[in-house]
Amino acid sequence: MRKIVIAGNWKMFKTQAESVEFLQGFLPELEKTPQDRQVVLCVPFTDLSVLSKSLHGSLVNLGAQNVHWEENGAYTGEISGPMLAEIGVSYVIVGHSERRQYFGETDHTVNLRLKAAQKYGLTPILCVGETKQQRDAGETESLIITQLEKDLVDVDQENLVIAYEPIWAIGTGDTCESLEANRVIGLIRSQLRNPNVTIQYGGSVKPDNIDEIMAQPEIDGVLVGGASLAPKGFARIVNFH
Ligand SMILES: O=C[C@H](O)COP(=O)(O)O
């Protein structure tokens, strides 16, 4: 049985005070949210502690945006799995295209982070997707198959979420057509040992396109950037029809 997972990725937005204010607007909107869907907020490291306390007992799970592969050590600026698990984090984004593009993340380090997340009891959300140039060159399928092959070496597919995020659709308002997203996600599923992995779509998801996206049979959820910052808008996405 595939789980529905609706996740927000706040990226580098919201101070602690702003994150608490968000919850005040967001949580009351979830009173009628069907229990068959998991809601996740992947927030900056600095917001995790305060949100962990505020989310206790709610429907919402806490997520981080990165995790190092070692338990501890001289790795300035990094955060480990046990540090996240201790404060109630249950999901972590791994290999987001912004990490790959700006911070030197490679398929090898993505693979190490995925295995570390699982080792410490976190569910990783692995991001894969092609650039506009790769799409125009007809390389979408081969690129994604290669990413999956390299990223998933020795990764447990029972405790894994994958997000298909075409890079050209991130933050641009240029959503991938839902039929095309469904096709690529079907391709991703065909490459997996476990066909029940939850596979999300990410890239300019908004309140006005969520219903169409979630109506696609291969799409099990969404990873939402910009539109997860507004409490009412993100609640509408969580409460998709
Ligand atoms: O992780 C989320 C994605 O980067 C999508 O961002 P976006 O919804 O702002 O396009």
Side-chain angles (χ1 to χ4, degrees), residues 9 11 93 96-98 127 165 169-173 202-206 223-227:
N9 173 12
K11 307 192 179 184
I93 297 172
H96 190 282
S97 58
E98 288 153 11
C127 299
E165 295 211 320
I170 295 177
T172 58
S204 297
V205 175
K206 306 275 182 250
L223 181 57
V224 186

Side-chain angles (χ1 to χ4, degrees), residues 39-229:
V39 182
V40 186
L41 285 174
C42 298
V43 304
F45 290 131
T46 47
D47 294 341
L48 288 170
S49 264
V50 70
L51 288 192
S52 179
K53 293 186 192 96
S54 313
L55 291 175
H56 190 71
S58 85
L59 176 75
V60 183
N61 299 276
L62 196 55
Q65 299 173 14
N66 197 8
V67 61
H68 196 264
W69 51 89
E70 295 291 347
E71 183 178 345
N72 49 45
Y75 300 103
T76 302
E78 292 285 328
I79 302 280
S80 75
M83 292 170 181
L84 296 173
E86 185 191 42
I87 53 172
V89 171
S90 46
Y91 285 83
V92 59
I93 297 172
V94 175
H96 190 282
S97 58
E98 288 153 11
R99 300 291 319 166
R100 295 180 193 251
Q101 185 180 353
Y102 304 130
F103 301 100
E105 197 79 73
T106 65
D107 287 315
H108 177 61
T109 55
V110 166
N111 175 254
L112 294 175
R113 292 182 202 275
L114 288 172
K115 289 187 288 192
Q118 294 181 330
K119 178 173 175 188
Y120 297 110
L122 308 171
T123 300
I125 302 176
L126 164 65
C127 299
V128 296
E130 80 286 0
T131 62
K132 177 87 172 70
Q133 204 181 12
Q134 288 162 333
R135 173 160 282 262
D136 290 346
E139 294 168 3
T140 300
E141 291 77 7
S142 59
L143 181 275
I144 285 173
I145 290 170
T146 303
Q147 279 186 329
L148 292 171
E149 272 171 10
K150 292 183 175 172
D151 296 353
L152 293 180
V153 174
D154 295 332
V155 170
D156 173 12
Q157 296 190 3
E158 298 300 322
N159 179 30
L160 175 69
V161 172
I162 296 176
Y164 168 53
E165 295 211 320
I167 295 169
W168 48 272
I170 295 177
T172 58
D174 196 7
T175 322
C176 183
E177 289 288 324
S178 54
L179 279 177
E180 173 60 7
N182 188 65
R183 184 188 72 82
V184 178
I185 287 176
L187 169 82
I188 292 172
R189 197 177 301 290
S190 73
Q191 303 300 306
L192 302 176
R193 289 189 306 278
N194 174 11
N196 291 323
V197 169
T198 293
I199 310 181
Q200 303 171 312
Y201 167 75
S204 297
V205 175
K206 306 275 182 250
D208 62 8
N209 60 23
I210 184 66
D211 298 335
E212 186 190 332
I213 292 168
M214 289 307 296
Q216 298 300 321
E218 293 289 351
I219 302 182
D220 304 321
V222 283
L223 181 57
V224 186
S228 70
L229 296 169

